[in-house]
Amino acid sequence: MWAQVVAIAPNIPALYELHFGVPMAGAILSALNYTLDHTTLANIFLQLNPKFIFVDYQFLDLVLKALHSLTQNHNHINNHQPPPTLVLIPPNIQSSSSSSSSFNLPQGSLDYNQLLELAPPPHLHKFEIVRRPNDERDPISVNYTSGSTGNPKGVVYSHRAVYLNSMANIINMGMARSTITSTTRHATVFLWTVDMFRCNGWCFPWAIAAIGGTNVCLRNNDISADVIFDAITQHKVTHLCGKPTLLSILAKASENNKPLSSRVELVVAGTLPCEHVMKKVSELGFNISNGYGMIEALGPIIIEPWIPNDNVKAKHDQRLRSSVITMEGFDVKDSETMESVPKDGKTIGEIMLRGNTLMSGYVKNPNHNNKETHSGFKEGWYRTGDVGVRHPDGYVEMKDRAVDVVISREGHVVSTLEVEAVLLCHPLVSAVAVVGRRLCKETNDANEQCSSNISSLCAFVKLKIENTNTSNAISSQDIIEFCKERNLPSYMVPNVVIFGDLPLNPTGKVQKFVLRNKVNNSNNGIIF
Amino acid sequence: MWAQVVAIAPNIPALYELHFGVPMAGAILSALNYTLDHTTLANIFLQLNPKFIFVDYQFLDLVLKALHSLTQNHNHINNHQPPPTLVLIPPNIQSSSSSSSSFNLPQGSLDYNQLLELAPPPHLHKFEIVRRPNDERDPISVNYTSGSTGNPKGVVYSHRAVYLNSMANIINMGMARSTITSTTRHATVFLWTVDMFRCNGWCFPWAIAAIGGTNVCLRNNDISADVIFDAITQHKVTHLCGKPTLLSILAKASENNKPLSSRVELVVAGTLPCEHVMKKVSELGFNISNGYGMIEALGPIIIEPWIPNDNVKAKHDQRLRSSVITMEGFDVKDSETMESVPKDGKTIGEIMLRGNTLMSGYVKNPNHNNKETHSGFKEGWYRTGDVGVRHPDGYVEMKDRAVDVVISREGHVVSTLEVEAVLLCHPLVSAVAVVGRRLCKETNDANEQCSSNISSLCAFVKLKIENTNTSNAISSQDIIEFCKERNLPSYMVPNVVIFGDLPLNPTGKVQKFVLRNKVNNSNNGIIF
């Protein structure tokens, strides 16, 4: 139907260009995560059957391994299909001296520069060489989930959805188009700290082009505070985005760097770090906002400014503005009855979305018969898998992932995110994950399959001081006392604290299901 | 099919509310120009057959006259239809003391307050009381053209088009959503100086709501510099729009008013006044932009900042950015072959648009059998009726209305707008209109029907000094000399200058067709 084109590259200009060249050639772009292992990559190649694979020289070995594993294991499947053509993006595509001849490429491979030279010269270009979609709902790209609970799923975006989401991003992030600069407004200069392979870089390749903004590309697999501060100063950056770890990176640099001369908008999507980290980054000159979204909704759908707040209670609120520009509906519903939960700030429901900036569906997966697309939607509403409440003032408060939420012995619904937010404020704590250990018939038989959701709270804690004997530096009881001092209600205070490393998926998220399995399905010597 | 609702009111909160209430009730809103005469209004009522007419108390007499004329002249047409229900918007809708009882209303009329009270109380409101369109291309509103060359035409807007245009306006005007205010950004406060009956106030009722901005309403039939400055100071206005006359109003006030404490964005659509007027307004604290658009394209599609320029040549350029966010195509074409004109800055063509923010078509007019909709589009392109050129750098330069452009004796294409821009810089000139007088077979027989477009240039000039004997204050030769001094090429210098008042249409535009008829079809004593 449509040709698939895969790209594996950091945030380099060539990957930005592919966000235009590939759709304008009538094909579908899949920018893939370069931290995936070659087996997972091979499975994605098998699913997409790409016609071209564009690969940055840094990830050539990874791609060659994946292609090798594909021909070894799946030769019988693709024997009617021509193999994909590899296009190498050499170290410096501007320089003719750096060619792909020094790389060991399969026969028939191309060099990115050579490919560009195949195009007719500019004066022969006509508007008509662009192959426009027949229908605005035709696919433009496929973005893969991290696959923390199974095979990565390919999420299909349409031309319509990415257009609308690009427009919404410009508005949500307050980006000025290049022509309305004045004494008080600066043209948008976007620093690429968010991965372009993540929801197509939150649709920013298209958004920045629409307003005639400037892109500052970074090899984002090598980001440091120095790189960021240098880019901001040199290029007058106005906006950057990414994971909340950006905040920690910047906060650490606060001693070496003077505050910026004009304020920069910084949007992170995920759980915010502790208040004092936020304050440090704010004092450096950043206006911080927090994004809420998911791959299936094309990235953050809500961008809410962070405002310094000394009220400890308010700090735990993860309230979401319900003014979502591109969504027809944004609600918290009982997932059985599909009724909205009452606006009481207490009744838990599932956050659901309906509207124009949602995925078209998942790529058909031979192993799953596309049942994910069906289970992901109910009566036209996309089920986020997040639970939340509605407040009397109309605000929605996101509580937790549905699979992560814990029901306490007393029957309280505990947001593990809220407990983690408090633990992260402990000066010695680097990372945390709170999960529930099911309490089955009040027995100790943890091996028995248990249908009750009532659980005790287990906090897995990674300390900042590496290689330290934890029992000397800090005890479980210290952590528990810290939570009590911070006025956490007793049912939200962890029952047990376990020190050590946390299992991460390729996008850097903690794999809570690993920890949940650990505490629920094995006699692994943890004392409760 | 859909119920029609008419509103006749200045920019008051009730008219803003109707932009939401009417579409959410599943009906179509027509906000009509309150300066129309009652006969024209009656014709529009006849065409729309409205179920409700909302009328501000100031324009009750006008509407009653129109309804009277309708029943007198067209009783035979509407005798199967129930008459429209009149809803009076009293002077102060907040105050219960001001009721409609003091007005002489037809039986069955309602008061706006009474109507609002018919709604169920807020706690019984459900999402479902909103009647959503079945299709996003369903109509939301009808806006009428000024009808300077015939009957006013009803231009139909769709939900889809106004949504997209509202999003584009937010971006084009650099409006910040209310939640991203910071030390460097102010939440949008919009002062209503553009008529809400004009392209639905350029779609700003919906745009301002989408970003949670503040509306400052004005009885816009009574605008003065004092009112504008007071509103800006009191409400911290960030944006206002309207006709270029706003600039003259503000410039006149420059002696009495101190510059604003923070800069305000001001967009006007139409021919800009002379450079020194612009500079005065800019110095008062306004960032001025110029809009290009038309009712059929939902208002300005291009908003270009004005930048002070001392280069006389460049000042005459009316170049338009071709980066039009919501349009699929923006081009200058030969209207016969539909080929784009070359990018040579010389070849004249018609400016044409294709895209998502165009009207759905004209309301079916019994007198015209809807032929306007067919002739308005060609091969999917909307024909603006404006002529322009394409420059080598990709810019489009708008030259003139197609009907107004003049071919000089030497064969040059003369933009009357460019000649007018120079004449407006003369310190004694208040308003101008330049038209062509056809030169037929080099004879003086102006009464003979002439098919040649070759014309001499006639400048109609209104002076600032009223009731002055023009021949004493300034002569035709003075005006002609002024043009030569400003380096206008000889073929652009008017051949004749006529002093006096200019005929205006109800929206304040000069009716050039009246002047053209005057110089081409009568022996009216004008000496050539």
Side-chain angles (χ1 to χ4, degrees):
Chain A
M1 198 154 171
W2 293 278
Q4 291 278 356
V5 174
V6 156
I8 297 164
N11 289 350
I12 54 174
L15 183 53
Y16 187 88
E17 290 161 6
L18 288 168
H19 276 81
F20 296 84
V22 172
M24 288 162 94
I28 302 172
L29 178 69
S30 281
L32 299 180
N33 183 346
Y34 48 71
T35 68
L36 293 173
D37 63 86
H38 69 87
T39 315
T40 308
L41 214 52
N43 280 330
I44 292 176
F45 290 172
L46 187 66
Q47 191 178 48
L48 290 179
N49 192 23
K51 199 164 173 180
F52 288 91
I53 297 177
F54 288 77
V55 56
D56 178 72
Y57 74 99
Q58 286 191 312
F59 304 103
L60 179 60
D61 282 349
L62 172 71
V63 169
L64 292 178
K65 269 188 202 164
L67 286 172
H68 181 73
S69 124
L70 197 63
T71 41
Q72 293 277 305
N73 301 319
H74 300 284
N75 204 20
H76 59 290
I77 292 174
N78 271 340
N79 54 6
H80 298 300
Q81 307 283 352
T85 301
L86 211 64
V87 184
L88 181 83
I89 307 166
N92 182 354
I93 63 158
Q94 301 303 328
S95 150
S96 58
S97 64
S98 70
S99 86
S100 53
S101 58
S102 53
F103 294 92
N104 193 12
L105 295 170
Q107 216 179 2
S109 297
L110 292 169
D111 176 283
Y112 188 72
N113 297 315
Q114 287 169 0
L115 185 71
L116 294 186
E117 281 162 15
L118 295 178
H123 68 275
L124 291 181
H125 277 193
K126 283 210 165 187
F127 198 62
E128 291 70 24
I129 66 165
V130 176
R131 289 180 65 178
R132 286 164 183 266
N134 292 318
D135 187 298
E136 64 194 37
R137 289 171 209 266
D138 284 350
I140 188 172
S141 65
V142 176
N143 287 274
Y144 274 82
T145 63
S146 59
S148 52
T149 55
N151 282 332
K153 287 182 282 189
V155 178
V156 181
Y157 292 2
S158 70
H159 284 261
R160 174 183 167 97
V162 303
Y163 169 82
L164 290 170
N165 202 52
S166 301
M167 297 281 276
N169 275 355
I170 296 167
I171 296 169
N172 281 333
M173 295 205 40
M175 290 175 151
R177 68 190 181 107
S178 57
T179 50
I180 50 162
T181 55
S182 68
T183 46
T184 54
R185 304 290 303 279
H186 301 290
T188 301
V189 180
F190 188 73
L191 179 62
W192 274 99
T193 46
V194 64
D195 300 318
M196 265 189 237
F197 67 71
R198 200 178 302 277
C199 317
N200 292 114
W202 302 3
C203 292
F204 278 115
W206 301 302
I208 304 299
I211 51 170
T214 302
N215 293 281
V216 181
C217 288
L218 280 181
R219 286 200 166 258
N220 49 321
N221 48 338
D222 184 27
I223 284 182
S224 70
D226 283 348
V227 167
I228 292 173
F229 274 90
D230 285 354
I232 291 174
T233 313
Q234 192 184 340
H235 302 289
K236 297 190 167 55
V237 167
T238 58
H239 293 78
L240 69 161
C241 308
K243 287 182 276 191
T245 47
L246 268 181
L247 294 166
S248 322
I249 292 171
L250 293 170
K252 270 187 206 150
S254 60
E255 287 130 41
N256 308 326
N257 287 284
K258 279 186 288 185
L260 301 165
S261 57
S262 69
R263 294 193 74 80
V264 172
E265 300 291 330
L266 167 60
V267 182
V268 296
T271 309
L272 295 179
C274 195
E275 188 82 2
H276 68 268
V277 174
M278 307 291 287
K279 276 189 179 155
K280 262 191 193 169
V281 176
S282 172
E283 282 159 14
L284 278 171
F286 294 90
N287 295 332
I288 308 165
S289 297
N290 193 8
Y292 171 77
M294 60 275 315
I295 297 181
E296 289 85 348
L298 283 69
I301 54 166
I302 293 171
I303 292 173
E304 186 73 1
W306 170 82
I307 295 151
N309 194 333
D310 296 323
N311 180 327
V312 175
K313 178 74 197 79
K315 198 169 56 188
H316 300 152
D317 280 0
Q318 292 218 1
R319 292 194 182 183
L320 307 171
R321 290 256 173 210
S322 51
S323 61
V324 186
I325 287 182
T326 55
M327 288 290 168
E328 181 191 339
F330 176 71
D331 204 357
V332 184
K333 288 174 173 289
D334 182 306
S335 54
E336 290 301 316
T337 65
M338 292 303 281
E339 291 280 323
S340 302
V341 299
K343 289 183 176 175
D344 58 7
K346 286 186 296 187
T347 311
I348 292 278
E350 185 171 355
I351 297 176
M352 297 198 193
L353 312 172
R354 185 160 72 178
N356 290 299
T357 51
L358 290 170
M359 64 170 179
S360 308
Y362 296 108
V363 168
K364 203 178 162 203
N365 184 331
N367 300 323
H368 290 80
N369 201 19
N370 221 21
K371 70 177 180 194
E372 285 105 341
T373 302
H374 295 290
S375 64
F377 285 91
K378 186 167 180 178
E379 295 176 16
W381 289 83
Y382 173 68
R383 303 179 58 169
T384 63
D386 292 329
V387 293
V389 297
R390 295 206 301 164
H391 285 278
D393 61 3
Y395 273 75
V396 166
E397 184 179 348
M398 196 276 226
K399 285 289 189 183
D400 209 342
R401 294 287 304 159
V403 294
D404 294 337
V405 79
V406 171
I407 313 295
S408 77
R409 201 186 293 254
E410 301 85 357
H412 292 289
V413 175
V414 178
S415 157
T416 59
L417 290 180
E418 289 181 15
V419 180
E420 289 162 8
V422 170
L423 290 171
L424 275 175
C425 292
H426 192 290
L428 293 181
V429 169
S430 154
V432 292
V434 173
V435 298
R437 180 180 177 264
R438 285 193 295 275
L439 300 167
C440 298
K441 305 173 224 150
E442 301 293 327
T443 74
N444 287 325
D445 187 1
N447 283 322
E448 193 180 318
Q449 198 63 31
C450 173
S451 62
S452 160
N453 281 322
I454 293 172
S455 305
S456 62
L457 286 176
C458 302
F460 288 82
V461 172
K462 187 185 177 188
L463 294 175
K464 281 179 183 165
I465 314 140
E466 285 162 33
N467 303 320
T468 305
N469 187 328
T470 54
S471 59
N472 288 348
I474 185 170
S475 71
S476 296
Q477 203 51 42
D478 292 340
I479 296 286
I480 288 166
E481 284 304 318
F482 178 80
C483 290
K484 289 178 180 166
E485 281 162 23
R486 304 286 285 209
N487 293 326
L488 266 191
S490 61
Y491 62 86
M492 285 178 76
V493 175
N495 303 86
V496 65
V497 178
I498 301 149
F499 295 98
D501 264 340
L502 302 177
L504 301 179
N505 75 11
T507 62
K509 282 186 189 166
V510 177
Q511 293 173 304
K512 281 196 177 183
F513 72 98
V514 173
L515 300 173
R516 232 182 338 258
N517 286 343
K518 206 168 171 178
V519 296
N520 284 303
N521 298 330
S522 65
N523 288 316
N524 54 8
I526 296 167
I527 302 150
F528 289 88
Chain B
M1 201 153 167
W2 294 277
Q4 291 279 356
V5 174
V6 156
I8 297 163
N11 290 348
I12 55 174
L15 183 53
Y16 187 88
E17 291 162 5
L18 288 168
H19 276 80
F20 297 85
V22 172
M24 288 162 92
I28 302 173
L29 177 69
S30 281
L32 299 181
N33 184 347
Y34 47 72
T35 68
L36 292 173
D37 63 87
H38 67 89
T39 316
T40 308
L41 214 51
N43 280 331
I44 292 176
F45 291 171
L46 186 66
Q47 190 178 49
L48 290 178
N49 191 23
K51 200 164 175 182
F52 289 90
I53 297 177
F54 288 77
V55 56
D56 179 71
Y57 73 100
Q58 286 192 312
F59 304 103
L60 180 59
D61 282 350
L62 172 71
V63 168
L64 291 177
K65 268 188 202 162
L67 286 172
H68 181 73
S69 124
L70 197 63
T71 40
Q72 293 276 305
N73 301 322
H74 300 284
N75 205 20
H76 59 289
I77 292 173
N78 273 338
N79 55 5
H80 297 302
Q81 306 283 353
T85 303
L86 211 64
V87 185
L88 181 83
I89 307 167
N92 183 354
I93 63 156
Q94 300 303 326
S95 150
S96 58
S97 65
S98 70
S99 85
S100 53
S101 58
S102 53
F103 294 93
N104 193 12
L105 295 170
Q107 217 180 358
S109 297
L110 292 169
D111 175 284
Y112 188 71
N113 297 314
Q114 288 169 0
L115 185 71
L116 294 186
E117 280 162 16
L118 296 176
H123 68 275
L124 291 181
H125 277 193
K126 284 209 163 184
F127 197 63
E128 290 70 25
I129 67 167
V130 176
R131 289 180 65 178
R132 286 161 184 268
N134 292 318
D135 187 299
E136 64 194 39
R137 289 172 209 265
D138 284 351
I140 189 171
S141 66
V142 176
N143 287 273
Y144 274 82
T145 62
S146 58
S148 52
T149 55
N151 282 331
K153 288 181 279 187
V155 179
V156 181
Y157 291 2
S158 71
H159 283 261
R160 174 183 166 98
V162 302
Y163 169 83
L164 290 171
N165 203 50
S166 300
M167 297 282 276
N169 276 355
I170 297 167
I171 296 170
N172 281 335
M173 294 205 40
M175 291 176 151
R177 67 190 182 108
S178 58
T179 49
I180 50 162
T181 56
S182 67
T183 45
T184 53
R185 303 292 301 279
H186 300 291
T188 301
V189 180
F190 188 74
L191 179 63
W192 274 99
T193 46
V194 64
D195 300 318
M196 265 188 237
F197 67 71
R198 200 179 301 277
C199 318
N200 293 114
W202 301 3
C203 292
F204 278 115
W206 301 301
I208 303 298
I211 51 170
T214 302
N215 293 281
V216 180
C217 288
L218 281 181
R219 286 200 167 260
N220 48 319
N221 48 338
D222 184 28
I223 284 182
S224 70
D226 282 348
V227 167
I228 292 173
F229 274 91
D230 285 353
I232 290 174
T233 313
Q234 192 184 339
H235 302 288
K236 297 189 166 56
V237 167
T238 58
H239 293 78
L240 69 161
C241 308
K243 287 182 278 194
T245 47
L246 268 180
L247 294 166
S248 322
I249 293 171
L250 292 170
K252 271 185 207 151
S254 61
E255 288 130 40
N256 307 325
N257 287 283
K258 279 186 290 185
L260 300 166
S261 58
S262 68
R263 293 192 77 78
V264 172
E265 301 290 330
L266 167 59
V267 181
V268 296
T271 308
L272 295 180
C274 195
E275 188 83 1
H276 71 268
V277 174
M278 307 291 286
K279 275 189 180 157
K280 262 191 192 169
V281 177
S282 172
E283 282 159 16
L284 278 171
F286 294 91
N287 295 331
I288 308 164
S289 297
N290 193 9
Y292 171 77
M294 59 273 318
I295 298 181
E296 290 85 347
L298 283 69
I301 54 165
I302 293 171
I303 292 174
E304 186 74 359
W306 169 80
I307 294 150
N309 195 332
D310 296 323
N311 181 327
V312 174
K313 177 74 197 80
K315 199 168 55 186
H316 300 153
D317 279 0
Q318 291 217 3
R319 294 195 182 182
L320 306 171
R321 288 256 173 210
S322 51
S323 61
V324 187
I325 287 182
T326 56
M327 289 290 170
E328 182 191 337
F330 176 72
D331 204 358
V332 183
K333 288 176 175 289
D334 181 305
S335 54
E336 290 302 316
T337 65
M338 292 302 280
E339 292 279 323
S340 303
V341 300
K343 290 183 176 176
D344 58 7
K346 288 185 294 187
T347 312
I348 292 278
E350 186 171 355
I351 297 177
M352 298 199 192
L353 311 171
R354 185 159 74 178
N356 290 298
T357 52
L358 291 169
M359 64 169 178
S360 308
Y362 295 109
V363 168
K364 202 178 163 203
N365 185 332
N367 300 325
H368 290 81
N369 201 19
N370 220 23
K371 72 178 177 196
E372 286 105 341
T373 302
H374 295 291
S375 65
F377 285 90
K378 184 166 182 179
E379 295 177 16
W381 289 84
Y382 173 68
R383 302 178 58 167
T384 62
D386 292 329
V387 293
V389 297
R390 297 206 299 164
H391 284 277
D393 60 3
Y395 273 76
V396 166
E397 184 179 348
M398 197 276 228
K399 284 288 189 183
D400 209 342
R401 294 288 302 158
V403 294
D404 294 338
V405 80
V406 172
I407 312 295
S408 77
R409 201 186 294 254
E410 302 85 357
H412 292 290
V413 175
V414 178
S415 158
T416 58
L417 290 180
E418 289 181 16
V419 182
E420 288 162 8
V422 170
L423 291 170
L424 276 174
C425 292
H426 192 288
L428 293 181
V429 170
S430 156
V432 293
V434 172
V435 299
R437 178 180 180 265
R438 284 194 294 275
L439 300 169
C440 298
K441 303 173 225 145
E442 303 290 329
T443 75
N444 287 326
D445 186 0
N447 283 323
E448 192 180 318
Q449 199 62 32
C450 175
S451 61
S452 161
N453 281 321
I454 293 172
S455 306
S456 62
L457 286 177
C458 302
F460 289 82
V461 173
K462 187 184 177 189
L463 293 175
K464 281 179 184 166
I465 314 139
E466 286 161 32
N467 302 322
T468 303
N469 186 327
T470 53
S471 60
N472 288 347
I474 185 171
S475 71
S476 295
Q477 201 52 43
D478 291 339
I479 295 287
I480 289 166
E481 284 304 318
F482 179 81
C483 291
K484 288 179 181 166
E485 280 162 23
R486 304 287 285 208
N487 294 325
L488 266 190
S490 60
Y491 62 87
M492 287 177 76
V493 175
N495 303 85
V496 66
V497 179
I498 302 150
F499 295 97
D501 263 340
L502 303 177
L504 302 179
N505 76 10
T507 63
K509 282 186 192 167
V510 176
Q511 294 174 303
K512 282 197 175 183
F513 72 97
V514 172
L515 299 174
R516 228 177 346 253
N517 287 342
K518 207 167 173 179
V519 298
N520 285 303
N521 299 329
S522 64
N523 287 315
N524 55 6
I526 295 169
I527 301 150
F528 288 91

